[in-house]
Amino acid sequence: MDEEFWQIRWRENRIGFHEGRPHEQLVDHVESLGLSEGDTVFVPLCGKSLDLDWLLSRNLRVVGAEFNRQAVEEVFARQSLVPEIRDAGSLIRFSADALDIFVGDVFALTAAMLGAVDAVYDRAALVALPPETRPGYASHLSGITGQAKQLLIGLDYDQAQMNGPPFSVPEEEIRRLYESGYGAELISRRPISGPLARRCSGTEEAWLLIPKPAS
Ligand SMILES: C[S@@+](CC[C@H](N)C(=O)[O-])C[C@H]1O[C@@H](n2cnc3c(N)ncnc32)[C@H](O)[C@@H]1O
């Protein structure tokens, strides 16, 4: 799943992952992150998700990272914001008010570029990545966010039913990926619904990842 794979998906408008409303499990479980107004939420691999708008509407600062520039431009236009656009290493940073989105590879994003993060919201990000990329993603995410707590939406289905993305990342793998730095609490498990349910059957899980105290 290199950059070209995703850019082609965007160009051909094959973006079945994009939902027409904020994700149900975000709305249901955001409180578990214990955020206060003005706190910063990082949304990796954010696409043009309406979750960004929903988080902003709760007076949170939102920072995203996304390969596709047009998707990012659409988010700012939807918010009636005219972004300031600056180079940030190999990425391009779009900023206006409480919204910052880095266009480019999340793996090129550093803690210094990102700034302080209070929580991570991962929907269709970890599960968008192939197995060999996930360990590096999990540790990079933890590293650039100062091991911020996470609300992570996972999928668990029989991988033989279809090829990813989205991939199945079952409980054992979530625990393996994150257990060194986080306690993982399963807060909800519900049947896969929406367009994905036509391709596979299984469950969608909401995980709360709470950083372990440094020993
Ligand atoms: C499955 S989509 C999910 C988008 C969004 N989270 C949502 O819920 O609609 C994955 C997104 O991640 C982007 N992406 C994949 N790998 C990336 C990377 N390494 N850096 C930045 N964006 C990436 C793709 O362009 C795509 O928009």
Side-chain angles (χ1 to χ4, degrees):
M1 261 89 259
D2 59 2
E3 175 166 1
E4 191 53 14
F5 169 90
W6 290 106
Q7 297 294 10
I8 291 170
R9 295 281 293 257
W10 280 103
R11 216 176 299 139
E12 297 179 349
N13 202 30
R14 289 191 292 117
I15 53 167
F17 53 80
H18 179 71
E19 300 188 317
R21 56 185 174 141
H23 195 68
E24 207 173 272
Q25 303 240 46
L26 171 64
V27 175
D28 288 354
H29 302 301
V30 73
E31 297 300 343
S32 62
L33 288 170
L35 295 168
S36 306
E37 287 192 6
D39 281 354
T40 298
V41 181
F42 178 50
V43 186
L45 283 59
C46 61
K48 58 174 184 177
S49 171
L50 290 164
D51 298 342
L52 301 165
D53 309 59
W54 189 81
L55 290 164
L56 287 169
S57 76
R58 297 181 61 93
N59 296 318
L60 295 163
R61 281 200 61 239
V62 176
V63 184
E66 167 55 46
F67 269 149
N68 188 266
R69 180 175 179 138
Q70 213 175 315
V72 172
E73 288 172 345
E74 201 175 313
V75 176
F76 281 88
R78 204 162 68 201
Q79 284 287 315
S80 306
L81 291 172
V82 178
E84 185 189 335
I85 302 172
R86 289 168 285 164
D87 287 338
S90 61
L91 297 100
I92 304 171
R93 179 179 192 142
F94 283 57
S95 311
D97 290 355
L99 178 62
D100 281 272
I101 306 182
F102 291 87
V103 173
D105 189 353
V106 73
F107 288 99
L109 192 60
T110 64
M113 287 152 73
L114 189 54
V117 167
D118 297 292
V120 173
Y121 168 59
D122 178 324
R123 186 258 158 183
L126 176 70
V127 300
L129 300 171
E132 64 276 13
T133 310
R134 287 178 216 140
Y137 167 80
S139 68
H140 178 63
L141 200 53
S142 168
I144 60 173
T145 64
Q147 214 178 325
K149 58 197 162 189
Q150 298 192 29
L151 177 60
L152 164 64
I153 311 301
L155 292 171
D156 187 353
Y157 65 89
D158 179 354
Q159 197 65 79
Q161 291 181 62
M162 67 169 207
N163 294 322
F167 295 96
S168 175
V169 185
E171 174 162 0
E172 316 79 79
E173 185 173 346
I174 298 277
R175 294 197 183 279
R176 203 166 51 239
L177 288 171
Y178 290 103
E179 74 188 351
S180 64
Y182 299 84
E185 184 194 339
L186 179 62
I187 47 180
S188 137
R189 176 173 273 158
R190 44 185 82 164
I192 289 173
S193 60
L196 187 58
R198 291 198 286 271
R199 298 172 60 204
C200 65
S201 66
T203 52
E204 183 188 79
E205 283 116 22
W207 291 93
L208 183 62
L209 305 181
I210 298 291
K212 288 180 179 168
S215 49

